[in-house]
Structures are given as structure tokens and as C-alpha cells.
Amino acid sequence: MVSRTIPVDPFDLVIFGGTGDLARRKILPGLFRRFCAGQMPANARIIGAARSELDSDGYREMIREAIAEFGGAQAQDNPDLEPFLEQLEYVAIDAKGTGGWEELAKIMEGTDRIEAYYFSVGPSLFGDLAERLQKYGMADKRARIVVEKPFGRDLETARALNATLAEYFNEDQIYRIDHYLGKETVQNLMAVRFGNMLFEPLWNSQYVDHIQITVAETVGVGGRGEYYDKSGAMRDMVQNHLMQLLCLIAMEPPAQFAPDAVRDEKLKVIRALDPVPPHHVVRGQYEAEPGNEEENPSYRDAVNDPRSRTESFIALRAQVSNWRWAGTPFYLRTGKRMVARSSEITVVFKDTPHSIFGDEAGRHRNVLSIRLQPNEGITLGVTIKEPGPGGMRLIDVPLDMSFAEALNPDDIEHVDAYERLIMDVIRGNQTLFMRGDEVEAAWAWTDPIIEGWQSRNDVPKPYDHGSAGPTASAEMLRREGREWRHVTP
Ligand code: NAP
């Protein structure tokens, strides 16, 4: 493979929560891949920081194991592993106390490299970390902070968090991560929309009947039950990931592919969203797998609360009220324990105005599917004549833009969302990160929906393990003469 990777400038990256699940599963294996690709300079330093009493050698061992477990095939017997581990250090630190902070300040002292601080800890510690970074002299203009989700649990808490971070850092130093924006296909969505003449003229309510965004998971809440039950699908998935996808689909073409140009357009979309009436939302909770209740219990058993009213599934109809999209609904749906793991955006175009082939030929619609996972790729359904002697019958065939098939696999450099986004942090590129006002606007739209459930004592509807969600979700579209796309792996 000819690598098109451009090395980034020397940097020091401190990972608060460096011993945690996210750091071990995603961040460090991702950094290792960047190291192997030659993107990480040899003098870059990665400093893990958490309360566990480890020394740097102990931390290297922990990360060696993490890379073996989560690093994929490339990580096994890789001669780059030892030199990568050499670049790791560890400081035992308490985000809420004083221990370890002077040591960290000493490590970071006196270099003129890029400094990045990844807050891979629970959100209750974000303010403590920001405050101590300043107190110990590390919040200078070179510093960037990376903030994980969840960013608040409503408008009020998101505002408070923005205000706390703004006490110590400027907006251009704050990288609010939404890993969906780092996915290859999400960026490809922008390339397809704004790099081709073909789609943009049709990208409006005159030609688009509706848009569907589905993020389906087969897993349940697993060990995250306690956290998840306080959050639910709306807060955990819709307010961030699904809304970000909606923005990229619906936004006007930005003047440049540059941070504020893109984020200004996304913000306009969120602000154009109509309030959602109760009959345009369906919430659900998954049932146990019949015969396997022990291993795959119901949502309520998994969170250990028989009266829980938190949704593990949500489907809703959103409306972007602007010139381009008035009259074109956006159907959003996400859930756990669904029939297949699949993330897909589907743009369903309108019928042709008149069928010259008559009713027997059948009527078909063009459908553009953008698949985020698995099998990333873009497919356009095109209507053609059914081959053979049967007269003029129409069928749909997919015009497939599967990356794996269209491009020589040896030429594709697979980059995980996290590693791409971390490299963007080092490069100082905020395009794929959420701005503070965007996050607040997203909460301002979701809050009244959640408050409505609370005031009405809304109870989520049960749905079968391994299904497409409650039947009411299908009914919501059927009422409008539409149907969800099948959730397929
Ligand atoms: P986790 O496994 O619970 O790890 C938390 C980390 O924080 C550990 O390294 C822990 O280490 C450290 N920590 C806890 N209290 C601390 C303190 N007072 N001072 C310093 N360090 C402290 O959590 P996680 O799953 O990695 O998640 C981290 C963040 O990423 C959370 O905000 C989460 O919402 C977000 N996130 C995670 C995922 C994921 O896939 N895991 C996905 C999206 C977002 P010690 O106990 O050694 O201190």
C-alpha cells in the first residue's frame, strides 16, 4: 500500500482515564495504528493518567495486553509494538485531589510541542480536570482538551459544562468528540453531496420523499445498565449521533470544508427543527429472549428495575422547517437488541411524476443508502427493465459504491473513527467536532420531548428481542403511507 499519511507535528497527549475501557479498547489501539502508519512522530509522548497506582512499565504492560486484545490482526507480532510502548508514560493522578498534578506539570513543562488532554473519564470529572489543568499551569494557549460524551444530560447541564470549560479554555481549544463524525462513510457523505453535480440539485423536498436514519444494535445494555437507565436512547444516541447525521444530510453547502463554515450550517439545521408532538415519537423497551432469559434478560431485568421507564428504543419523526426541507420528514430510529447491527441513512426519492409504462410495469423509487456499519458503502437503487422477453417490467438494481469493491483493497488505509479524530485534534482541525452552541441547540430540541414523557408518565412499549422495535414504530410510518427499511446486517 502506498501510504498517503502525512506525519503530524510532535505532540504530548495526556489521556485522563488512561486505564479505562475506552482508552484500552479504542484510543490506544488507534494510536498504535497511527504509529504503524508512520503518522506519529518518534518523539511524541502519550501519558496515561488515572488513580490506579501503576508505574510507566506497569502501564506499558497494561497497554500491551489491550493492543493484543483489541488491536486486530495488525497488532499481533508487530515489530512496531515495542517502540510504540516506549513512547508511553504513566502518572497516578486524582482528578478531584492534588496527588500527581505536580508530577504531570513537570512532565509537560518546558516543551514547545502540541499539548492535548483527553478527558476519557466520567463527565462529573470534566470540570475538576479543567480547573486543575489551569491551576498547575497546563491550560496555556497550546493546550487542547478532548471531551467525551455525554456532554450534559439536558440544556441546563450542557450550558453549565460549557460555562465551566470556558472559564479555562477558549472554544477553539475544546474538542467535543462524537465518534460518528470520524467514520469514513460520514465523511464520504459530504464528498458525495458536495463533490458531485448529480445529487445536490435533487437534494430537497421537491425530489426527496423522506429520509430515514437507523442505528440498530443487537447488544443489550450489558454492564452499563445503571448508567444507561439514567440516560436512555434519546440522550445516549439521538441527541448526539443521530442528530449529527441528520445535520450532515440536511445542511446547506458550507462555503468551505472548514470548522466554523461546517458547524454554522449544522447549527442552522438544528435550529430549524420543529418541536416533536407526542404522536411522532415511539419509545420501547426490549423483552427477554424467549428460552434464554438468563443470558438475554429483558431491559427491566437488565437494569434491575421492574418499573423503569427508560427507553432502549426510540423512533421519531423530525421536520426541518426551512426552504429546502419543508414537507420532507426525517425518520430517526435507534435501539438495542434489534434484529441486526446496522447503521444506515436512506434517502428515498419521490415517484416519477408519470409512469409511461403503465401500472403493470410497476412503479419504483430511487433510494440512496449510505451504510455506516457494517460493510460501509453507498448504494443507489436504479430502476431498469427486467431482462428477458416478459415485456416492459421494471425492477430495481443497486448501483453499488461499496468502497471495498470499487477500490483496490490494498490502497485503502483503514482508519478507525477515534484515531482519525485524535489526529485531527493534533492537527488543530475542529471540523468534525461539535461546537458548544451546537450541543446546546441539540439539547434545546430534545429537552421538551423528554419533559413531555415525564409529565405524561409515558411508558415505553415492549418489543421482542431481535425485532425491529415496537409495532407502533412501523405504524407511525404506515399512517403516512411509508415503511421503514428492513434492518439487515
Ligand atoms: P471507565 O472504564 O469507567 O474508565 C474511567 C477511567 O477514569 C478509568 O481509567 C479510571 O481509572 C479513571 N478515573 C475514575 N475516577 C478518577 C479520578 N477521580 N481521577 C482520575 N481518574 C479517574 O469508563 P470508559 O468507558 O473508559 O469511559 C470514559 C468516558 O468515555 C466516559 O465519559 C464515557 O461516557 C465515555 N465514552 C465511553 C465509551 C466506551 O466505549 N467505553 C464510548 C463513548 C463514550 P482509575 O479507577 O484508575 O482512577
Side-chain angles (χ1 to χ4, degrees):
M1 178 174 63
V2 186
S3 180
R4 289 175 287 275
T5 303
I6 301 164
V8 294
D9 291 335
F11 65 88
D12 291 336
L13 170 66
V14 177
I15 306 171
F16 293 111
T19 58
D21 177 70
L22 184 66
R24 286 182 297 108
R25 227 161 28 83
K26 289 286 181 186
I27 303 173
L28 282 140
L31 283 165
F32 176 55
R33 279 191 292 273
R34 293 297 87 215
F35 181 86
C36 297
Q39 197 166 17
M40 242 178 82
N43 59 354
R45 294 187 301 176
I46 298 166
I47 301 129
R51 288 168 309 177
S52 302
E53 289 297 337
L54 291 170
D55 57 13
S56 291
D57 280 341
Y59 189 57
R60 288 184 195 115
E61 269 320 296
M62 174 187 269
I63 300 310
R64 182 198 302 283
E65 283 168 25
I67 289 175
E69 189 174 352
F70 303 114
Q74 194 194 0
Q76 315 309 324
D77 300 322
N78 190 322
D80 284 334
L81 183 59
E82 289 313 315
F84 172 74
L85 293 174
E86 281 304 306
Q87 295 189 231
L88 304 191
E89 293 176 39
Y90 182 80
V91 185
I93 214 163
D94 185 354
K96 286 188 167 299
T98 53
W101 284 97
E102 277 173 7
E103 193 188 333
L104 181 64
K106 209 171 209 140
I107 293 174
M108 302 302 282
E109 199 177 70
T111 77
D112 55 1
R113 285 120 68 88
I114 295 159
E115 285 175 23
Y117 299 90
Y118 198 128
F119 292 9
S120 182
V121 294
S124 63
L125 298 178
F126 293 168
D128 295 302
L129 290 176
E131 188 252 326
R132 280 165 180 74
L133 283 172
Q134 194 206 42
K135 182 169 165 199
Y136 290 90
M138 289 174 271
D140 58 32
K141 290 275 172 284
R142 273 177 307 139
R144 288 147 206 191
I145 58 166
V146 184
V147 187
E148 262 301 333
K149 80 166 205 187
F151 199 91
R153 55 174 285 108
D154 52 25
L155 177 58
E156 193 186 335
T157 48
R159 262 191 193 142
L161 186 50
N162 273 334
T164 304
L165 297 181
E167 280 179 44
Y168 310 107
F169 297 95
N170 296 326
E171 182 61 35
D172 64 5
Q173 296 178 284
I174 304 171
Y175 291 71
R176 294 175 196 78
I177 212 159
D178 184 323
H179 70 273
Y180 269 61
L181 294 181
K183 288 181 186 286
E184 186 75 22
T185 320
V186 172
Q187 294 175 60
N188 234 320
L189 166 62
M190 288 187 271
V192 167
R193 270 196 71 187
F194 304 128
N196 294 288
M197 196 54 212
L198 195 59
F199 297 109
E200 203 45 32
L202 307 179
W203 211 259
N204 55 55
S205 58
Q206 200 183 337
Y207 297 101
V208 176
D209 179 74
H210 72 278
I211 287 166
Q212 299 186 12
I213 303 176
T214 295
V215 177
E217 298 177 286
T218 49
V219 293
V221 291
R224 292 173 69 220
E226 198 184 328
Y227 157 76
Y228 191 90
D229 201 43
K230 292 194 197 99
S231 163
M234 185 69 157
R235 289 191 171 99
D236 194 47
M237 297 297 291
V238 176
Q239 184 273 343
N240 39 56
H241 306 318
L242 275 81
M243 284 187 73
Q244 287 294 321
L245 298 179
L246 184 153
C247 286
L248 297 178
I249 287 279
M251 72 183 183
E252 295 300 313
Q256 299 103 21
F257 187 57
D260 279 333
V262 171
R263 297 187 300 177
D264 285 347
E265 295 307 334
K266 280 160 54 192
L267 180 63
K268 285 185 211 160
V269 172
I270 302 175
R271 289 194 172 146
L273 282 167
D274 282 349
V276 181
H279 65 284
H280 284 165
V281 186
V282 173
R283 295 200 304 149
Q285 276 178 343
Y286 59 80
E287 298 275 48
E289 182 180 13
N292 195 13
E293 293 80 1
E294 230 8 53
E295 206 172 313
N296 291 327
S298 70
Y299 175 81
R300 288 177 173 199
D301 284 343
V303 301
N304 221 356
D305 179 0
R307 291 151 58 89
S308 169
R309 291 189 171 175
T310 305
E311 75 285 355
S312 62
F313 172 96
I314 183 165
L316 63 84
R317 180 197 197 278
Q319 182 65 60
V320 181
S321 273
N322 63 15
W323 194 278
R324 185 188 284 262
W325 292 117
T328 296
F330 287 70
Y331 299 108
L332 275 45
R333 151 177 84 154
T334 182
K336 294 192 175 293
R337 284 271 185 256
M338 290 179 66
V339 57
R341 173 175 171 260
S342 159
S343 299
E344 191 172 65
I345 301 168
T346 310
V347 181
V348 180
F349 289 90
K350 289 190 171 169
D351 288 335
T352 50
H354 165 68
S355 170
I356 65 168
F357 306 110
D359 287 345
E360 325 71 85
R363 284 286 274 282
H364 295 259
R365 288 176 160 186
N366 298 119
V367 174
L368 181 71
S369 305
I370 301 140
R371 250 182 113 83
L372 310 183
Q373 65 190 22
N375 312 325
E376 291 194 330
I378 298 178
T379 308
L380 178 65
V382 179
T383 302
I384 62 162
K385 176 189 170 297
E386 193 175 59
M392 186 52 103
R393 291 187 186 283
L394 304 181
I395 54 164
D396 277 344
V397 290
L399 211 63
D400 208 333
M401 291 177 260
S402 152
F403 306 152
E405 283 170 28
L407 306 171
N408 179 351
D410 294 340
D411 280 344
I412 306 175
E413 193 172 337
H414 291 284
V415 182
D416 175 79
Y418 277 96
E419 57 193 273
R420 182 195 312 282
L421 293 172
I422 295 170
M423 289 299 111
D424 276 357
V425 173
I426 305 301
R427 280 189 288 253
N429 185 347
Q430 289 185 305
T431 309
L432 300 176
F433 295 84
M434 294 178 295
R435 210 167 51 192
D437 51 3
E438 248 185 278
V439 180
E440 288 184 17
W443 280 122
W445 183 69
T446 44
D447 272 3
I449 305 173
I450 297 172
E451 283 158 14
W453 302 333
Q454 284 155 356
S455 65
R456 292 193 307 276
N457 279 329
D458 186 75
V459 180
K461 297 179 169 50
Y463 62 95
D464 289 344
H465 172 104
S467 70
T471 48
S473 154
E475 277 156 26
M476 182 171 79
L477 266 69
R478 211 170 295 134
R479 282 200 301 268
E480 303 188 342
R482 301 184 174 104
E483 58 184 27
W484 288 108
R485 298 260 299 167
H486 289 299
V487 180
T488 49

